Amino acid sequence: MNYKFTIVVPVYNEEDNLERVEKELLQYTTIASVSTKVLFVNDGSKDKSLELIEAICKRNHAFEFISFESNRGLSAAIKAGFDYTTTELVGYIDSDLQTAPEDFNLLLQHISDYDLVTGVRANRKDSFVKNMSSKIANGIRRAFTHDGMDDTGCPLKVIKTDYAKRIPMFKGLHRFLPAMVMLQNGKVIQIPVQHFPRIAGTAKFGLWNRLLGPLMDCFAYLWMKKKYINYTVNKKSE
């Protein structure tokens, strides 16, 4: 099948969620506004996640996977997903399914006019501490990047693949995807999406990851912005 859109699903110790992930993403492929496939990226899980992923991919032709030798973190998993994507469009969703796959259709409505479309979680169903730390971290990031995004941590995005593959990812930079697309002179927009409480499994980010870590990453972003190489070819030999 000639797929147009790949959904990257980073997975780290999510064995309790994967049956629901399979069900909901399989259902989404039947209602997706463009032909869609799924790419699991197993980030060195220590539970039965890989075993379950392999079984899922064997029984669903639109599902594929790659697996890391060891845990490398969310940014590495997202980058690997981008690297292994062969479709025109790429997106990602977390395997905890706190966002809804059907909301990809909301984002896809805008991708012809933009190079990255990100969700912004409306009525977040997280704890007060998590919500406040994310709000503070987003405010700090906006002050550094001027990307205008309210919720770059939202795990629901659609990107034109050629832009995604040019993002020089490093640890923590998954929070800066809109800013990195803007460095390429790309256009970004945020669209409200649904948000749900986590049903199974455990969160992989604590206060450090949500607040202090992103602050340090802002300085890494500023360094990269200063050193970033951007060019446009307007003519080549035929």
Side-chain angles (χ1 to χ4, degrees):
M1 186 172 177
N2 187 24
Y3 295 104
K4 185 175 181 180
F5 179 42
T6 299
I7 300 174
V8 174
V9 187
V11 176
Y12 179 62
N13 293 345
E14 293 285 2
E15 62 181 6
D16 294 332
N17 276 316
L18 286 172
E19 182 178 346
R20 188 165 64 98
V21 170
E22 176 189 15
K23 179 180 178 181
E24 294 201 17
L25 286 176
L26 185 61
Q27 173 62 28
Y28 175 69
T29 63
T30 68
I31 63 168
S33 55
V34 297
S35 54
T36 300
K37 63 189 295 187
V38 175
L39 174 61
F40 288 106
V41 181
N42 176 48
D43 184 18
S45 295
K46 296 177 175 63
D47 61 2
K48 295 181 179 179
S49 291
L50 178 58
E51 178 183 335
L52 293 170
I53 288 169
E54 290 184 276
I56 290 170
C57 293
K58 284 182 180 179
R59 58 179 174 257
N60 297 290
H61 64 84
F63 288 58
E64 300 174 346
F65 78 93
I66 59 174
S67 184
F68 288 174
E69 184 178 31
S70 60
N71 176 244
R72 306 307 297 170
L74 180 57
S75 290
I78 292 172
K79 174 174 170 49
F82 292 169
D83 289 345
Y84 278 80
T85 290
T86 57
T87 54
E88 176 184 345
L89 301 172
V90 62
Y92 82 88
I93 189 171
D94 279 354
S95 49
D96 58 17
L97 288 185
Q98 287 192 257
T99 50
E102 62 262 30
D103 283 349
F104 274 120
N105 282 350
L106 298 176
L107 308 189
L108 287 165
Q109 290 177 19
H110 302 272
I111 198 62
S112 61
D113 298 318
Y114 294 88
D115 304 300
L116 177 147
V117 185
T118 181
V120 54
R121 291 167 285 191
N123 300 316
R124 284 187 64 174
K125 308 300 182 182
D126 289 322
S127 68
F128 174 79
V129 171
K130 186 173 182 179
N131 284 338
M132 287 304 299
S133 60
S134 294
K135 185 174 181 179
I136 294 169
N138 275 302
I140 294 170
R141 189 210 65 260
R142 280 195 306 273
F144 275 80
T145 66
H146 305 289
D147 61 8
M149 299 290 105
D150 296 316
D151 185 19
T152 60
C154 178
L156 201 73
K157 290 177 173 63
V158 176
I159 314 172
K160 290 177 179 172
T161 301
D162 56 345
Y163 281 85
K165 287 182 179 292
R166 292 196 298 265
I167 294 173
M169 297 284 284
F170 60 81
K171 188 175 182 180
L173 202 63
H174 60 274
R175 303 179 184 92
F176 295 82
L177 293 179
M180 296 309 296
V181 169
M182 291 171 68
L183 278 185
Q184 302 176 47
N185 297 320
K187 297 171 61 179
V188 304
I189 190 175
Q190 57 184 4
I191 303 297
V193 297
Q194 303 174 83
H195 189 246
F196 305 93
R198 176 184 270 271
I199 294 177
T202 57
K204 307 304 185 293
F205 294 97
L207 182 62
W208 167 263
N209 303 96
R210 290 195 301 267
L211 187 55
L212 300 180
L215 175 60
M216 295 178 64
D217 293 338
C218 284
F219 292 100
Y221 166 79
L222 290 182
W223 177 88
M224 179 166 289
K225 181 179 180 180
K226 183 177 180 180
K227 301 291 185 179
Y228 187 73
I229 296 173
N230 194 23
Y231 64 88
T232 301
V233 174
N234 63 1
K235 193 174 184 179
K236 63 180 181 179
S237 60
E238 297 182 1

